[in-house]
Amino acid sequence: MSEQPQAVQNLTGAQKQAVFHKDGPLLIIAGPGSGKTRVITHRVAALVQQGVSPFNICAVTFTNKAADEMRQRVLSMDVPQGVHLSTFHSLCVRILRKFSQAAGIAPTFSIFTDTEQKSCVKEAIKTAQLDSKNFPPAAMLETISRLKNNLEDVKTFEEQNCDDYFSKCVSKVYKAYQKILEKNNALDFDDLLSKTAFLLRDFPDIRKQLNERFKYLMVDEYQDTNHAQYQIARGLAAERGNICVTGDPDQSIYGWRGADIGNILAFERDWPDATVIRLEENFRSAPEILTVADKLIAANKIRKIKKLLPIKQSGGEIIVRCLEDEQAEAAFIAEYIKQILDADANANEIAVFYRVNSMSRAIEEALVVNRIPYQIVRGVEFYNRKEIRNILAYMRLIVNPSDNQALVRIINSPARGIGQTTVSRLAAYAAIKNISVYNAAKDCEKIESLSAATKVKIKAFVKMMESFEEDKQSPAAVVMEKVFKQSGLYESLKSEAAKEDYSKSSPIDNVSELINSSKRFDEQQGGTLVDFLQYISLFSDTDTYDGRSGKVSLMTLHCAKGLEFENVIIAGLEEGILPHERSRDTHLEIEEERRLFFVGITRAKKRLCITLCRYRTIHGQYTRTIMSQFIFDAGLEPQEYGDQTNDLDYDDDDKQDSYQEQVSQAADIDVSGNAFAVGQLVLHKKFGTGRIKEFHNLGADSIVVVEFRNGQMKPLMLKYANLSVIGQGR
């Protein structure tokens, strides 16, 4: 090995081994806080130092924020330009634009967001002559997404899965949905992946060309890849086998959107000569926090065994509070934040995590009452505002005149006397002629059903759009400013602002922020309007996180992935919340929920606060809750708020025996007089027979964890479960 450059000094032994591995497949099992991003960026520098051209290196990850961070780090290490660093979806967009003809699309394709996809699938359901009540659009989109991620196109699905009524209906909707996308020259997020995977599979010459371009491939967060991404990675590395993947099976939390933990678990099978390196040293969290995380995740069976080895000295703080209900929980969280802010905490370094977005409302109210500034990391909502969607629709139509969704949105926005009846007549003419609605507008003189006055208005709109099209190769900010002023949008919003009293930012302010965002994009990344539209269309919630806002951050546990904070609060550790009620039917779902809690815990550097409630309003009902089984898995002991002994001090030699130790030998009597103990065979009216695996003595609120014959593991409160003992313990 050649001499190590200064840029890659000061690494641990395992990190150095990963950084300086050059040829052949490499699997890096990287625990939380183990310096994974540092290894990836240093590996880029090391490859260049060893003679690899930057042009031949490709690194992909899952969020714009992560890609931007890698890009900045690589630049700071004086690596010459040319390295491709992006998200999976951005890489696929680049490939599809380059090889659009082979992919069967035009290079100016639009990328439809969730909103446009829902509109298209509603139209597809109507085209298929189905009732949206029986075939809900959201469910249809989820089904189509799963099929695309599994690389089942319409033809494949029709050939294999149309024996039953439901599959036939799905096939009709799927086919109609794809035709609508084709008419709009548009792709959805899943198309970006599936069409790229098909390119690599079906066109050996393109695959070879891309293998020559990207001789060294690095895939971050490999545990989160779905089948399409898995096939893309294999295709890009097929010729040389220089594929390096990093990830952690214990942090695989996206199974609900198609991620397959089996991809990382099977890497050594796929690449038999792979080198495996484990990064187990944790530079982020206090050892007390890592002890809890280690104990929790050990309950999972589907994983690669590793330990979290703390580098930091002890001094972490963990507290677990049981509150009366969500209002009390929110009040406690606000008070806790005030206390640590008064001590030594920085608001930028405080985060509150929850399982579902609806849980934020009570917490927000409590923070407002206590005058604690906060930000909600859910920024995609910005792009769903009417004024933002309107100006972006102008941008999309400029780039892609076939985008009917964009045309329909803006042809009368602001109002220019072109009503819905006119739009319907344009659409009908477009359907007959098999052209876009925009081209129908250009051809409006031939549409007899339109009045002369209406045709004048349509022609004025077309002329304006053609003037905008002249600048489509200009920087995004230039085009956007011109459109905002000359389309009439600015005057319309200005008139609206004169009538409204906006407590926060006005629509004009929001559009100005979008234009400023495009200016920053132009300065940092360059490119054209097409590039900016691509960038924001692939925007995720996590990308909006501002670590210098001076505010406490509120976000879901899924959003927390990839972030870290000195102080972390995780709310709602109850059955039905975490684990979620929709994720408790199989061991696989329970294990993913446990990994989600593990991710939340390991975001914390110094302080970890966990809350749960005895009662919570769920679906409008004030309901008695059951403590999450994950509390027991982690060896944590919840304390009532107000109990002076409630701080958990893992360094105290005089601490009481742990909660688990106290209850492991306990037995109790249920309300019917039956004695329960670990190992007993029991009968449940709904779930059938099962065996008690754990008993938690909480007096009248005692809980048993039962493993039923179907493999489900259920925590049940004895006073409500109506269990019957049918066999003795063993």
Side-chain angles (χ1 to χ4, degrees):
M1 184 184 299
S2 58
E3 183 183 350
Q4 300 174 8
Q6 185 62 37
V8 288
Q9 298 291 335
N10 304 318
L11 299 170
T12 67
Q15 287 176 334
K16 283 183 180 178
Q17 187 182 356
V19 164
F20 288 99
H21 175 99
K22 186 182 179 187
D23 296 317
L26 172 65
L27 169 62
I28 303 173
I29 302 295
S34 61
K36 171 171 61 68
T37 302
R38 188 166 186 249
V39 166
I40 294 171
T41 52
H42 279 66
R43 188 164 189 272
V44 169
L47 286 172
V48 172
Q49 188 267 340
Q50 293 175 88
V52 177
S53 168
F55 185 75
N56 296 135
I57 301 173
C58 175
V60 290
T61 186
F62 276 79
T63 67
N64 288 317
K65 183 173 284 294
D68 288 343
E69 181 183 353
M70 287 184 187
R71 196 174 293 113
Q72 294 305 316
R73 290 198 191 188
V74 168
L75 285 174
S76 70
M77 298 167 72
D78 296 325
V79 174
Q81 291 188 349
V83 178
H84 181 90
L85 287 159
S86 75
T87 63
F88 247 114
H89 287 87
S90 294
L91 173 64
C92 290
V93 170
R94 182 170 178 170
I95 291 172
L96 291 174
R97 293 206 194 279
K98 181 176 178 62
F99 301 105
S100 57
Q101 186 174 359
I105 53 177
T108 56
F109 61 82
S110 296
I111 303 171
F112 274 5
T113 63
D114 291 340
T115 303
E116 282 101 35
Q117 289 173 42
K118 287 174 185 175
S119 177
C120 290
V121 84
K122 285 177 182 177
E123 185 181 339
I125 293 168
K126 186 177 180 180
T127 301
Q129 298 182 321
L130 297 172
D131 188 342
S132 60
K133 292 181 181 178
N134 298 325
F135 297 89
M140 287 294 97
L141 268 180
E142 185 177 339
T143 300
I144 292 170
S145 175
R146 187 181 70 250
L147 292 172
K148 290 184 178 182
N149 286 330
N150 288 333
L151 301 183
E152 292 185 57
D153 57 17
V154 173
K155 183 180 179 181
T156 304
F157 183 71
E158 280 183 328
E159 291 173 350
Q160 299 178 358
N161 298 280
C162 282
D163 296 333
D164 62 277
Y165 175 72
F166 179 75
S167 294
K168 288 179 181 178
C169 292
V170 169
S171 179
K172 289 179 182 178
V173 175
Y174 191 3
K175 182 184 289 185
Y177 175 73
Q178 286 305 110
K179 284 185 177 179
I180 293 167
L181 290 178
E182 288 169 11
K183 282 184 179 179
N184 284 271
N185 184 29
L187 304 181
D188 62 20
F189 300 132
D190 301 308
D191 285 327
L192 299 177
L193 301 175
S194 61
K195 286 186 177 293
T196 303
F198 289 142
L199 268 182
L200 289 163
R201 183 193 68 185
D202 300 337
F203 295 88
D205 55 329
I206 292 177
R207 184 174 64 243
K208 186 173 182 179
Q209 187 175 337
L210 288 170
N211 274 249
E212 281 297 312
R213 168 71 166 86
F214 302 126
K215 295 178 181 179
Y216 290 85
L217 175 67
M218 284 179 271
V219 182
D220 189 22
E221 305 287 8
Y222 194 65
Q223 78 281 348
D224 291 332
T225 53
N226 59 33
H227 182 63
Q229 290 162 328
Y230 166 79
Q231 292 295 353
I232 291 167
R234 283 179 62 85
L236 290 174
E239 299 287 331
R240 287 179 170 76
N242 292 330
I243 178 172
C244 165
V245 304
T246 67
D248 180 6
D250 291 339
Q251 297 184 71
S252 178
I253 58 174
Y254 294 110
W256 51 276
R257 69 182 189 194
D260 185 358
I261 192 175
N263 292 344
I264 192 168
L265 295 174
F267 186 83
E268 293 156 270
R269 180 200 66 199
D270 294 338
W271 306 91
D273 57 338
T275 299
V276 181
I277 299 171
R278 285 175 167 78
L279 304 181
E280 297 178 313
E281 293 168 297
N282 182 287
F283 299 89
R284 176 188 299 155
S285 304
E288 295 84 355
I289 292 170
L290 296 182
T291 296
V292 169
D294 251 338
K295 189 165 187 178
L296 169 75
I297 205 62
N300 274 10
K301 295 182 174 63
I302 303 174
R303 61 190 299 255
K304 284 183 176 289
I305 302 298
K306 68 177 185 310
K307 294 290 290 182
L308 301 178
L309 305 176
I311 298 300
K312 289 187 174 182
Q313 298 298 310
S314 61
E317 175 184 291
I318 305 174
I319 56 177
V320 186
R321 294 289 193 275
C322 180
L323 291 308
E324 184 66 14
D325 56 22
E326 66 265 30
Q327 302 302 323
E329 178 185 51
F332 168 76
I333 289 172
E335 181 61 32
Y336 176 77
I337 291 173
K338 281 178 65 177
Q339 289 178 4
I340 62 174
L341 283 172
D342 290 342
D344 61 351
N346 182 324
N348 291 326
E349 290 291 340
I350 302 174
V352 183
F353 304 153
Y354 33 79
R355 178 62 178 84
V356 291
N357 279 313
S358 60
M359 293 176 66
S360 73
R361 182 172 179 178
I363 299 169
E364 286 185 73
E365 290 174 353
L367 294 179
V368 169
V369 168
N370 286 273
R371 299 182 180 180
I372 299 172
Y374 66 91
Q375 63 173 332
I376 296 185
V377 183
R378 204 190 308 159
V380 174
E381 289 185 350
F382 175 81
Y383 294 100
N384 287 329
R385 290 173 173 146
K386 180 182 176 181
E387 63 274 12
I388 299 299
R389 291 176 63 190
N390 284 347
I391 194 165
L392 288 178
Y394 275 95
M395 301 301 108
R396 283 168 38 203
L397 188 62
I398 290 169
V399 169
N400 175 20
S402 297
D403 192 333
N404 295 333
Q405 293 258 331
L407 182 282
V408 171
R409 183 170 189 88
I410 64 171
I411 195 169
N412 199 43
S413 181
R416 47 178 63 94
I418 304 176
Q420 186 57 51
T421 300
T422 299
V423 173
S424 297
R425 288 171 179 170
L426 288 172
Y429 180 84
I432 293 171
K433 297 293 184 179
N434 195 27
I435 59 177
S436 70
V437 181
Y438 182 54
N439 280 334
K442 288 183 174 182
D443 215 16
C444 67
E445 273 295 346
K446 298 179 182 179
I447 305 176
E448 296 179 358
S449 59
L450 297 176
S451 69
T454 298
K455 289 177 181 177
V456 170
K457 295 171 184 175
I458 294 172
K459 287 177 181 177
F461 171 78
V462 169
K463 185 177 180 181
M464 177 186 69
M465 290 304 303
E466 288 176 338
S467 72
F468 294 155
E469 288 170 18
E470 296 172 1
D471 298 311
K472 66 181 178 182
Q473 296 302 321
S474 301
V478 173
V479 185
M480 212 174 300
E481 285 181 325
K482 180 177 179 179
V483 170
F484 190 37
K485 295 292 175 65
Q486 297 183 15
S487 67
L489 280 175
Y490 173 75
E491 289 299 328
S492 175
L493 294 179
K494 185 179 177 182
S495 175
E496 179 184 315
K499 303 172 187 176
E500 300 287 341
D501 180 19
Y502 294 105
S503 58
K504 293 185 179 179
S505 58
S506 70
I508 291 179
D509 293 333
N510 293 333
V511 175
S512 296
E513 175 53 35
L514 179 67
I515 294 172
N516 289 336
S517 173
S518 69
K519 287 179 179 177
R520 289 192 294 271
F521 177 84
D522 292 339
E523 292 167 359
Q524 295 172 8
Q525 300 189 36
T528 63
L529 178 59
V530 173
D531 299 311
F532 179 68
L533 289 176
Q534 171 189 321
Y535 177 78
I536 61 174
S537 68
L538 301 177
F539 214 68
S540 68
D541 283 343
T542 306
D543 293 328
T544 68
Y545 166 68
D546 181 0
R548 296 175 293 181
S549 67
K551 300 175 182 178
V552 173
S553 297
L554 274 60
M555 68 190 78
T556 65
L557 281 158
H558 283 98
C559 270
K561 182 77 175 297
L563 302 177
E564 61 182 22
F565 301 88
E566 288 285 328
N567 314 277
V568 164
I569 301 143
I570 307 178
L573 262 292
E574 302 134 32
E575 293 295 321
I577 301 293
L578 187 63
H580 194 273
E581 61 183 351
R582 293 196 301 268
S583 304
R584 294 188 295 170
D585 292 336
T586 68
H587 280 306
L588 292 177
E589 291 173 333
I590 287 291
E591 290 208 355
E592 177 153 320
E593 291 289 294
R594 189 178 285 112
R595 292 194 293 268
L596 188 57
F597 186 33
F598 174 81
V599 166
I601 290 173
T602 54
R603 300 309 93 192
K605 298 180 183 179
K606 181 179 178 182
R607 296 186 182 98
L608 174 65
C609 174
I610 296 168
T611 64
L612 59 149
C613 301
R614 284 190 292 271
Y615 295 88
R616 189 178 294 275
T617 303
I618 301 173
H619 306 310
Q621 298 292 319
Y622 194 64
T623 306
R624 183 69 165 92
T625 67
I626 298 176
M627 189 186 308
S628 172
Q629 65 191 74
F630 299 158
I631 293 284
F632 307 125
D633 293 341
L636 294 170
E637 180 179 355
Q639 300 289 334
E640 301 293 323
Y641 183 47
D643 184 345
Q644 297 302 310
T645 63
N646 52 16
D647 286 343
L648 297 187
D649 184 353
Y650 287 86
D651 293 327
D652 186 358
D653 293 335
D654 298 325
K655 70 174 185 258
Q656 297 179 345
D657 292 337
S658 73
Y659 184 71
Q660 278 287 81
E661 291 170 345
Q662 291 181 44
V663 301
S664 63
Q665 301 174 359
D668 197 14
I669 306 296
D670 81 339
V671 290
S672 62
N674 290 323
F676 289 99
V678 172
Q680 283 178 327
L681 200 62
V682 293
L683 176 66
H684 187 276
K685 185 176 181 179
K686 178 180 178 181
F687 303 119
T689 58
R691 193 171 297 280
I692 295 176
K693 293 295 186 182
E694 299 175 25
F695 184 93
H696 303 287
N697 186 4
L698 303 175
D701 295 330
S702 291
I703 295 171
V704 290
V705 179
V706 181
E707 183 175 21
F708 290 96
R709 289 287 174 85
N710 62 2
Q712 294 181 12
M713 193 80 74
K714 297 281 186 182
L716 302 168
M717 187 170 282
L718 285 175
K719 66 183 180 183
Y720 299 128
N722 293 321
L723 290 176
S724 300
V725 177
I726 58 176
Q728 296 303 309
R730 52 181 171 80

